[in-house]
Each structure stands twice: as structure tokens, then as C-alpha cells.
Amino acid sequence: MKPYLKEHEWSIIEEGFDPDKHEISESIFSIGNGHMGQRANFEETYTGSSLQGSYMAGVYYPDKTRVGWWKNGYPEYFAKVLNSTNWIGLRIVIDGEDLDLNEAKVSEFVRELNMREGYLQRTFKAELREGKEIKVKATRFVSIVQKEIGAIKYDITPLNFDGTLEVTSYLDGDIKNKDANYDEKFWDPVATSLSKDRASVTVKTKKLNFHFCSTMETQLYRNDQKLDVDGVGSEEVKYAGITYKAPLVKNEATTIYKYAANVTNRDHDEQQLETVSSKSLDGAVKKGFEQLKEEQASAWKQKWLDSDIVIEGDISAQQGIRFNIYQLNQTYSGEDARLNIGPKGFTGEKYGGSTYWDTEAYCLPFYLATSEERIPRNLLIYRYNHLEKARENAKKLGFEKGALYPMVTMNGEESHNEWEITFEEIHRNGAIAYGIYNYVNYTGDKSYLGEYGIEVLAEISRFWEERVNFVPQKNVYMMLGVTGPNEYENNVHNNWYTNRIATWTLEYTLYVLDFLKDTDPDLYAQWIEKLDLKEEEMKKWVDIIDKMYYPEDKEQGVFLQQDGFLDKELLPVSKLDSKHLPLNQNWSWDRILRSCFIKQADVLQGLYFLNHEFDIETKKRNFDFYEPMTVHESSLSPCVHSILACELGYKEKAYEMYLRTARLDLDNYNNDTEDGCHTTSMAGTWMSVVQGFGGMKISNDQLILNPFIPGQWKSFSFKVLFRGARLMIHVDQEEVTITNETDIASDIVIHSDKIYLKGNDQITVTH
Ligand code: BGC
């Protein structure tokens, strides 16, 4: 599709209304605050195609599994983030005619997502049936300061007539998920209430007893004067609305302010929801729209201070990266360890809003480098809190001990049901262990290991111990019947990545046990007892480490993705006619599985994670071997390739890979943005800039930078929070300048030179 959004450094802008692109824009212009999210649906009636979407973090539904052929071990349900009460609704009727952009003649339509200040704005002119023209300006945001508050300002100006406005401000809880497996509605009514300017709707889920209450207040103004209009309330099941009538005066704006407080029994007592939301609403209404909006802008200013990336000389790249950072910040804010990051964030229903290995493998580095320690720590605590369920999951699949974390989850239980993924894509367990390493390596917070980390590591290690099998005639351990990160091969034996991440987990667990023994023998003893960890077991881990089998082609010097990889016909993607691509839309699954083509980084994922273990020549040989066969049909793929390409000095390739995800949603590159944005892969794009072009790594408690700048850019700069210091790294074609924006000194290695950077100091080196 031809890009249709205007380039701008700080905003996403759509000029002109095209109903065919509306659902794509609904995803792109979504707003969120970690507590709730809202697609960019219109406030007023819209009869064209649209996915109404309003999501509350952590409110999900166990939708009964839909599957053709049941396999033992499948979960009973697929957890889905719930499409919830529509709180933005404003039905606008002008002289008896419904404003509907699907019917009216629309001109001067501009939609803007202002990322600097965190709001969505839409302006347009509409010509109604009898030639009556109006101008509308609608602004809304969900507050990142008061997480339960959403606010709307909706101005209507008649341009060539005096008339009557009838506006019904409503809450509609009778909402259905588009992706419901059996076309069911998931919400039951609880209560509705109406008072003069307020209405409230409480609904609850049919299962799991989630209660959600939305309370709204609406006010009408003209020329800064509040209009004294009495509303007429109407209630239906799961619905409450208040209708106001007011005269419309030619060339004068009538403003509708709508405030909503959205609360759930995840945070409050179920019996008190209406009271709590009403109280929260009082505060918001008292402040008023403009003050709430100012608070929003200053809170976003702080977010940008910690996480902005500036790219000079390429507006399109600048817009792309800021969009990604914006989406990540509005999806997960890290205060609540019960929450996580769905692959689509709050922008759509696909992937059910559930947690995947994407979090540890791709998102964690972003939050590590751009937010306070407690925020990425909460991502780890989330998995810690799911440990019991992961143990149960392992038992359910027939393991005697250990923990297998789910591939897809809301509450720790597996909710995915494709056998080749649910049962076989066990490498996810390794990513969860790696997340612990990554967190400790980055933050230096070793206390995490003794407090929580060791329990998770030991239980994952036990899983690997049982999952491998010893082959006496070869004196090796193997891992049979798995799916690696490359989902275009299933049920393979000895996926190199899975074998290696398994032994790496064992090594790291043993290292952590040693560390605890040395530093806190009492704590060590407590864990040994609690985990009932025997010397024998640890010896077994060492034996597995020593005797694990890794498929390799010694002649070519490459690790083999799996035992049978060299039996395939090996072809580069460049040899395929482009009509075959993407393979997942053009080829049968059988053909994909037999082919050599790779969906996403697999062996290379291992070389990326365990980067320090391999020399540059090994990385180069493997990259040269695998990248040409990779179709990157997961949006998580290009970033890993881009980072490795940077390290290998493949500048063109690095930039090419970076471009594949930098504007994935803004340019609807995969033709699927209407389903929602690729939020978790946005973190990968951030990694491409910081770890790829910036060459940032952490080793031995030091920040290491190896920056290189794509020829297309004049300069780029990024921020990282590292051990209390906030550093701004600015890279241009000649130099690298690091500014320490805090009082805390930092040791840094740039292009192999060790530098001590004092607080509030700056240093420049040439490169
Ligand atoms: C990828 C997985 C990923 C999932 C959710 C799939 O297409 O292959 O690695 O976890 O999408 O993003």
C-alpha cells in the first residue's frame, strides 16, 4: 500500500478521509496509558467499516478453545483481552440528522496523533444532507497521570446555518470481541445508573468475574460559558446515555466535554466500583480538560526525556522511531506486575493481548534502558508469580518436575493450542531465564537472584534436564521433537538454538547457585532446602552441559538449525520469484516446512543472545549462511539481523534490515495493520538503533558502545539510563558525544577505549 501518512517529527498525521484506510488508522492512532487503551474510533456514529476497540489492561476472557482435532494437553481456553465498554461515544444529531462520516461529504479531514504531548486530534468539515456545513475538532486522550481517566473535547461549529444540536453522550457495555471463537458476547450486565450529568455502566465477564465500571460526565459550553441544558437520560441493558439539546449558532463553536473514569475490580473492591469511579471522575472534572491535558503533556515530556531517539536528516525515520517509542510507553508502564505486553498492545485483538516470549526476548531491553529499575523488574516478577502455573503446565504435559512457561498466557496458564507451538516451541523457557540474566547484567541488581531469580532458573533447568534424552551409543544428550524460533520448521530434532539456550540455562543456574553460596551462604542453604536441590541433580546438569549434542557443519563452520537442515534444498530467497512472497500467504504449509526458508532469526537468535561467546568469524559465517535464506515473515526477525549486521560491519544490510520494521505499521508494510500495531516488534526496532547502530552492550558492569551511523543520516542520538546515570549518546558521521545528564559518574567503553565520564559532563571522541 502506498504510504498515506504525512511525515512529521513529532506527530502522525493523516490528511483527507479514506474509509478504506480507516481501520488501519484506527490501529495507528490508538491511545493508551498502560491501564487502558482505545483504538482511534470516531466518537460520533460511523456506519462504515470499523473495529470498535476499547481495552482494559489485564481484563481478559477464557474463550473456549476452538480446534478441529483435540490433542491431550491442549488448554481448555484461549485467553483474550476484552473489548470493553465504549466510553467515547457521542451521538451527534444536527437538525434531526445523524452525523456520520460514512454518509456526509467530508472535507479538510486531518487526524493527528500528537506523540510529544500524548493526545489524538481530528478536525474536519462535513456537509450534511441539505447542504448544511459544520466544522468539527475532536481531541481526546487517556491520562498517563490519572490512569483511570479518559477525556474528550468535541467542538462543533455550524458554518452556514443556525440549528439545533442533539448530542447523546453514552456508555455502551454491550460489546463483542471481533475474535470471539463462538460469536458469543463475554459481558453480562451488572448495573446502570443515571443522574443529572452523569451516567454509569457496570458490566461483568461471564467467566472469571471481572467487573468493569465506567462513569461519565458530560458538559456543554459555548464561548467559554457552560450551557445550562438539562439532559434526558436513557438506560438499556449494559447501556446508559444522556441526551442534551442546544441551539447551534452560525460560526460559533459549541463544545462538548466528556470525561470518563474506567475502573475494574482488579484494582478496587467490586462493590465499590461505582463510588470509586465517581470519585475519580470528580477529581478530573474539577481539574477540567485543559488542565488534564497540560498534565498529560508534562508527563509525556518526562517520558521523552528518558527515552527519546533523535534522528537528524531523515524525517521519515525520525517519525518511525518516535512512533515505536510512543507505542511502547503507552502500552506498558510497569507499575503493575500483573500486567505484561501483548504483541499488539492495546491496538487490536489479534494474539489475544497475551504475553509471549516477545517480552523477554525483545521488549525487556527497551524498558531496561529507558525506565527506572522497578519497571523491568516487574516484568520479571510477572513470570515469578506465574511459576506455580508453569510447574503445573510441565506436570500436565507429563513431566515429573520443573517448570515450562507457556507460549501464550494471561495468567500463567497456557492458552495456545497449536501442537507444534504449545508443546514444541519450548525455547521460550530459555528466553525467560535469559531475561533474568539480561536484567541483572544491565542493572547490576544481583539481589534479584537470591530473592526470586534462582527459583525460576532452577525450575527451568529441571525442565531441560527432563526434556533432553541421553543417547548412550553416541554418549550425547539430544532434544527431539521441537520447534525453534523459526516456526517454518516443526517437530525437528536438535534445534541448535533450543539445545544451546537449554545448556546455557543450566550453566547460568549453576553460576547463580555458586554466586549465592559465596555471597550469602545462609540464603543459599535456604534455597537448597526449599528447592530440595540435590548434589546429584546439579551433577546431572553438568553432565548435560558437557555432553549436549549441537548439530554443526564443521566444514562450512556453521551451526545447523536442526539435524536435517542440510538435507534440504538450500536456496537464497533472492532466487524466488517475488510472486511467492510472503510465503505464508502463497505456499501450502507442507511446502513451507520442507523448504529451507526461515521465518525469523533462529541460530542467529542464539548468536545475538549469547553474543559474547562467539568470535566475529563464527558470527559472520553463520550470518552469511542463514540470512540469505530468511524471509523475515515475523516482524521480530529483522532487528536481530540488523544488530548482527552492524557488528559485522555490513552497513547496507544493517540499514536495510532496520528499514523493514522501522515503519512497519506506519507504512502498513505487512498489510495487516488494521488488526493492530506490531507493538512487541517496535521494541526490536528500538534495539536496532541502540544495540545495532549504537553498538550498546553491557559487559562486566560497563556500558560498551560501538556506534556507527548509516550514511543516510546526518546524526542520531539516544538516551539510556544506566546504573543511575542518564546518558545521551549523540553520533554523527565524524564523532560520538556522550552527555551525562545526571550527577552520577559512569564508566564507558567507546570503540574499545575506556572512558570515565563524570556527572553532568560531556565527552567527544572521533570515530
Ligand atoms: C512469531 C513468534 C512470536 C509471535 C507473537 C509469531 O509470528 O513467530 O516468535 O512470539 O508471533 O509476536
Side-chain angles (χ1 to χ4, degrees):
M1 200 181 81
K2 249 181 86 203
Y4 68 99
L5 300 169
K6 206 175 147 194
E7 289 179 352
H8 187 284
E9 289 186 358
W10 277 106
S11 285
I12 310 300
I13 299 171
E14 177 184 9
E15 287 178 340
F17 179 51
D18 179 349
D20 291 340
K21 301 198 179 88
H22 180 52
E23 286 186 76
I24 301 169
S25 292
E26 284 183 326
S27 301
I28 292 176
F29 290 81
S30 292
I31 49 175
N33 64 6
H35 168 73
M36 60 179 155
Q38 171 66 49
R39 279 170 63 84
N41 312 116
F42 295 159
E43 287 85 359
E44 73 279 355
T45 304
Y46 182 65
T47 54
S49 308
S50 157
L51 169 60
Q52 195 279 326
S54 184
Y55 308 99
M56 299 299 296
V59 176
Y60 65 94
Y61 192 77
D63 196 13
K64 197 166 166 313
T65 299
R66 193 182 178 97
V67 58
W69 200 266
W70 189 263
K71 292 194 167 51
N72 273 347
Y74 272 170
E76 299 291 321
Y77 68 88
F78 191 100
K80 288 183 175 154
V81 67
L82 274 190
N83 204 340
S84 317
T85 301
N86 171 8
W87 59 269
I88 62 165
L90 292 173
R91 184 175 167 209
I92 307 286
V93 180
I94 295 167
D95 291 342
E97 184 181 343
D98 238 303
L99 174 63
D100 174 0
L101 296 203
N102 196 34
E103 298 287 333
K105 206 163 137 199
V106 185
S107 60
E108 296 176 35
F109 179 95
V110 180
R111 179 158 27 191
E112 178 188 355
L113 181 66
N114 185 315
M115 301 185 287
R116 192 201 287 255
E117 298 187 355
Y119 65 83
L120 168 67
Q121 189 162 291
R122 185 168 54 108
T123 50
F124 60 89
K125 281 186 181 167
E127 189 183 317
L128 305 177
R129 269 198 298 272
E130 285 158 20
K132 289 179 182 162
E133 278 187 308
I134 57 162
K135 196 170 85 182
V136 171
K137 180 174 173 187
T139 311
R140 75 165 179 253
F141 57 91
V142 286
S143 170
I144 61 169
V145 182
Q146 276 169 266
K147 295 285 174 101
E148 292 166 339
I149 296 298
I152 302 171
K153 179 181 182 188
Y154 196 98
D155 290 323
I156 310 176
T157 312
L159 297 177
N160 57 359
F161 68 102
D162 290 330
T164 311
L165 167 71
E166 204 181 287
V167 50
T168 305
S169 177
Y170 63 88
L171 299 167
D172 182 6
D174 195 24
I175 299 294
K176 218 168 97 176
N177 265 55
K178 186 184 174 190
D179 66 348
N181 280 344
Y182 295 90
D183 212 26
E184 275 175 275
K185 286 188 175 167
F186 301 143
W187 293 106
D188 272 340
V190 175
T192 50
S193 76
L194 276 171
S195 61
K196 194 169 169 283
D197 289 321
R198 284 198 178 183
S200 187
V201 171
T202 308
V203 284
K204 69 172 179 136
T205 51
K206 290 196 166 135
K207 289 182 199 160
L208 298 184
N209 198 42
F210 282 113
H211 279 57
F212 173 40
C213 171
S214 187
T215 304
M216 65 167 192
E217 176 163 334
T218 314
Q219 299 171 347
L220 266 62
Y221 275 72
R222 187 169 326 108
N223 297 330
D224 293 331
Q225 292 292 313
K226 190 164 181 217
L227 299 181
D228 188 17
V229 283
D230 281 337
V232 179
S234 61
E235 279 172 281
E236 286 166 37
V237 180
K238 299 188 258 185
Y239 171 97
I242 304 183
T243 303
Y244 303 87
K245 262 193 190 164
L248 281 176
V249 183
K250 188 172 152 190
N251 288 328
E252 285 190 21
T254 298
T255 302
I256 305 158
Y257 289 106
K258 178 171 183 177
Y259 305 90
N262 298 321
V263 301
T264 75
N265 64 339
R266 289 181 66 257
D267 303 311
H268 306 284
D269 178 356
E270 183 179 306
Q271 305 302 326
Q272 298 297 318
L273 287 185
E274 203 182 317
T275 317
V276 173
S277 69
S278 210
K279 215 162 152 206
S280 165
L281 195 59
D282 288 342
V285 172
K286 198 159 160 230
K287 280 187 183 161
F289 186 88
E290 300 305 336
Q291 194 184 330
L292 289 169
K293 190 160 165 277
E294 269 164 38
E295 284 178 4
Q296 174 85 341
S298 54
W300 270 102
K301 194 170 170 194
Q302 184 58 46
K303 292 238 182 236
W304 287 113
L305 210 60
D306 291 340
S307 59
D308 195 18
I309 291 182
V310 178
I311 299 174
E312 263 193 310
D314 187 341
I315 287 213
S316 152
Q318 176 66 80
Q319 186 183 40
I321 194 71
R322 283 214 173 108
F323 179 65
N324 292 352
I325 296 169
Y326 181 76
Q327 286 290 351
L328 289 164
N329 278 326
Q330 68 171 4
T331 301
Y332 183 75
S333 51
E335 290 96 8
D336 184 343
R338 295 167 301 170
L339 299 177
N340 210 278
I341 307 149
K344 301 268 165 199
F346 294 118
T347 65
E349 292 170 21
K350 204 169 169 199
Y351 294 115
S354 302
T355 309
Y356 285 65
W357 75 306
D358 303 26
T359 294
E360 285 76 14
Y362 298 90
C363 301
L364 188 64
F366 170 79
Y367 296 101
L368 278 172
T370 62
S371 38
E372 291 168 45
E373 208 166 286
R374 70 188 167 88
I375 287 166
R377 196 175 206 261
N378 270 347
L379 286 174
L380 267 57
I381 297 283
Y382 173 93
R383 296 292 192 178
Y384 178 79
N385 290 338
H386 288 177
L387 182 57
E388 203 40 52
K389 296 270 190 221
R391 287 187 181 112
E392 283 167 22
N393 189 38
K395 291 243 157 43
K396 186 174 164 191
L397 301 193
F399 293 87
E400 276 173 21
K401 54 184 191 175
L404 173 61
Y405 279 91
M407 186 64 186
V408 181
T409 193
M410 264 309 172
N411 62 354
E413 287 167 7
E414 178 63 78
S415 79
H416 194 84
N417 57 3
E418 283 171 283
W419 64 268
E420 64 278 22
I421 292 177
T422 309
F423 307 140
E424 295 208 327
E425 224 181 307
I426 50 177
H427 68 81
R428 66 212 186 223
N429 238 15
I432 288 159
Y434 187 81
I436 297 174
Y437 160 80
N438 212 356
Y439 167 81
V440 175
N441 188 45
Y442 193 95
T443 60
D445 173 18
K446 295 202 170 76
S447 71
Y448 187 82
L449 296 170
E451 241 175 297
Y452 304 98
I454 188 59
E455 193 172 358
V456 172
L457 290 170
E459 292 295 41
I460 294 180
S461 290
R462 284 174 156 157
F463 169 80
W464 292 129
E465 177 194 331
E466 207 175 327
R467 184 61 170 77
V468 297
N469 63 294
F470 185 63
V471 186
Q473 63 278 26
K474 295 183 175 162
N475 195 29
V476 290
Y477 288 90
M478 289 192 169
M479 190 126 48
L480 308 178
V482 303
T483 298
N486 168 31
E487 292 177 340
Y488 287 179
E489 284 187 319
N490 300 151
N491 204 37
V492 295
H493 298 329
N494 295 310
N495 168 253
W496 181 87
Y497 172 76
T498 309
N499 285 14
R500 184 62 195 112
I501 204 72
T503 48
W504 175 87
T505 312
L506 300 176
E507 289 161 14
Y508 186 54
T509 308
L510 290 168
Y511 160 83
V512 171
L513 284 166
D514 272 350
F515 165 78
L516 293 176
K517 197 176 184 176
D518 289 350
T519 54
D520 194 339
D522 290 344
L523 186 62
Y524 172 78
Q526 280 168 30
W527 277 120
I528 294 288
E529 197 187 325
K530 182 168 179 212
L531 291 164
D532 193 21
L533 206 52
K534 303 267 181 325
E535 199 59 35
E536 248 165 73
E537 199 168 8
M538 293 191 256
K539 279 201 184 127
K540 178 84 190 280
W541 294 351
V542 174
D543 198 43
I544 297 170
I545 294 167
D546 290 345
K547 296 189 188 136
M548 178 61 99
Y549 162 73
Y550 302 103
E552 224 176 307
D553 179 359
K554 292 233 163 67
E555 219 169 280
Q556 298 189 70
V558 293
F559 304 122
L560 292 178
Q561 199 164 268
Q562 45 99 359
D563 278 351
F565 195 75
L566 287 185
D567 301 333
K568 293 185 163 191
E569 187 190 359
L570 302 184
L571 284 176
V573 182
S574 58
K575 284 262 156 39
L576 280 180
D577 192 317
S578 62
K579 70 174 190 230
H580 297 284
L581 298 170
L583 298 182
N584 60 17
Q585 282 171 28
N586 294 295
W587 280 14
S588 71
W589 194 238
D590 164 66
R591 193 169 174 192
I592 288 180
L593 293 180
R594 284 185 287 113
S595 84
C596 69
F597 299 115
I598 302 168
K599 182 181 181 188
Q600 68 200 91
D602 193 300
V603 166
L604 297 186
Q605 182 75 38
L607 299 189
Y608 161 69
F609 272 171
L610 307 179
N611 196 276
H612 51 284
E613 291 187 356
F614 303 98
D615 61 33
I616 204 87
E617 288 308 316
T618 306
K619 290 176 208 168
K620 191 166 180 303
R621 282 191 305 273
N622 282 279
F623 188 93
D624 293 348
F625 183 75
Y626 286 109
E627 198 284 327
M629 290 184 275
T630 307
V631 285
H632 304 289
E633 287 178 15
S634 160
S635 62
L636 299 173
S637 183
C639 62
V640 173
H641 289 83
S642 179
I643 295 167
L644 288 172
C646 284
E647 193 185 1
L648 298 174
Y650 293 165
K651 299 191 174 180
E652 292 297 312
K653 191 69 185 172
Y655 190 61
E656 177 202 324
M657 288 292 113
Y658 165 77
L659 287 182
R660 282 188 76 140
T661 52
R663 294 180 54 92
L664 181 70
D665 292 307
L666 292 182
D667 296 341
N668 193 13
Y669 202 91
N670 282 1
N671 231 343
D672 60 358
T673 300
E674 69 267 28
D675 295 336
C677 295
H678 298 77
T679 310
T680 50
S681 88
M682 291 180 182
T685 313
W686 176 90
M687 291 192 331
S688 305
V689 176
V690 174
Q691 302 181 350
F693 302 144
M696 186 183 87
K697 288 178 190 164
I698 312 298
S699 178
N700 295 326
D701 298 315
Q702 269 180 346
L703 185 82
I704 299 177
L705 298 164
N706 263 309
F708 107 78
I709 175 163
Q712 292 79 347
W713 295 353
K714 197 165 159 235
S715 75
F716 72 99
S717 61
F718 58 93
K719 300 277 187 88
V720 291
L721 300 170
F722 182 65
R723 313 276 169 113
R726 185 173 62 225
L727 306 169
M728 204 231 316
I729 295 102
H730 180 272
V731 186
D732 64 24
Q733 297 291 347
E734 283 86 41
E735 301 175 329
V736 183
T737 302
I738 307 181
T739 311
N740 189 344
E741 298 182 341
T742 49
D743 309 334
I744 298 161
S746 204
D747 275 328
I748 303 167
V749 179
I750 312 180
H751 292 313
S752 311
D753 293 331
K754 208 168 161 178
I755 282 159
Y756 175 76
L757 185 60
K758 286 194 297 221
N760 300 308
D761 203 359
Q762 193 178 68
I763 192 154
T764 299
V765 292
T766 45
H767 68 115

